[in-house]
Amino acid sequence: AGFRGLDGVWSKDGESVFYLHDGRELRRRHVASGREATLYRAAGLHGIVRSPDGRSLAVCGGNVIALVPATSGEVRRIPFDGVTEAGWGADLIAARGVDLWRAPLDGSAPQKLNAPGNRAPGFSLHPDGKRIALTAGRTGTEIWTMKLGAP
């Protein structure tokens, strides 16, 4: 397969980088020492995001979103058929094709967000976690922002 670039995020303290290796492993690399650790293994991993508090990572793979502790602990899996991407602000937001969903961490059912039906891949959550930016459009690309209401 061709080069894909870095699918990774910095730790909250900036001392480590979490990244996906070969689409099968979530790894942590401590920058100063070069030490690496594998935190999670599964086939078809993509779309890694860090929680705002820095304690967890969410990674998409197959039909689940895996919640992986940044240091140690149990991995939790949230069933989510066809997950294509994720972002983490005040809530974990997941995409399935053009649709966006709030993915509750408590195991309750995902809640579909009112997003444009012609959304292009990719979105960005505002640092306050209450707004999202995305692209949409049929004949030209438009940049949209929308508020994320309370669940």
Side-chain angles (χ1 to χ4, degrees):
F3 180 72
R4 290 182 26 151
L6 176 69
D7 196 353
V9 296
W10 284 97
S11 62
K12 187 167 179 155
D13 63 11
E15 293 184 9
S16 298
V17 174
F18 299 97
Y19 70 98
L20 298 178
H21 177 71
D22 288 338
R24 293 185 303 247
E25 293 182 344
L26 171 59
R27 294 183 177 179
R28 177 183 62 232
R29 180 180 180 89
H30 187 263
V31 176
S33 70
R35 285 189 321 262
E36 290 200 6
T38 299
L39 304 177
Y40 179 67
R41 287 184 179 95
L45 298 178
H46 63 281
I48 180 175
V49 293
R50 179 178 51 84
S51 65
D53 65 10
R55 291 187 279 182
S56 299
L57 302 150
V59 62
C60 305
N63 291 324
V64 301
I65 300 169
L67 301 177
V68 181
T71 53
S72 64
E74 290 292 317
V75 174
R76 289 180 43 221
R77 290 167 186 83
I78 299 173
F80 199 99
D81 289 339
V83 61
T84 55
E85 57 188 313
W88 210 333
D91 296 303
L92 182 60
I93 304 298
R96 180 184 301 134
V98 298
D99 295 327
L100 293 174
W101 300 76
R102 182 175 279 113
L105 303 180
D106 63 4
S108 60
Q111 301 163 348
K112 188 174 180 182
L113 300 175
N114 187 18
N118 56 352
R119 183 185 75 82
F123 62 89
S124 179
L125 291 165
H126 189 276
D128 69 8
K130 298 176 184 174
R131 292 181 280 168
I132 189 169
L134 51 93
T135 56
R138 294 199 198 310
T139 59
T141 302
E142 303 170 350
I143 297 176
W144 289 54
T145 61
M146 49 188 250
K147 289 185 178 183
L148 295 172

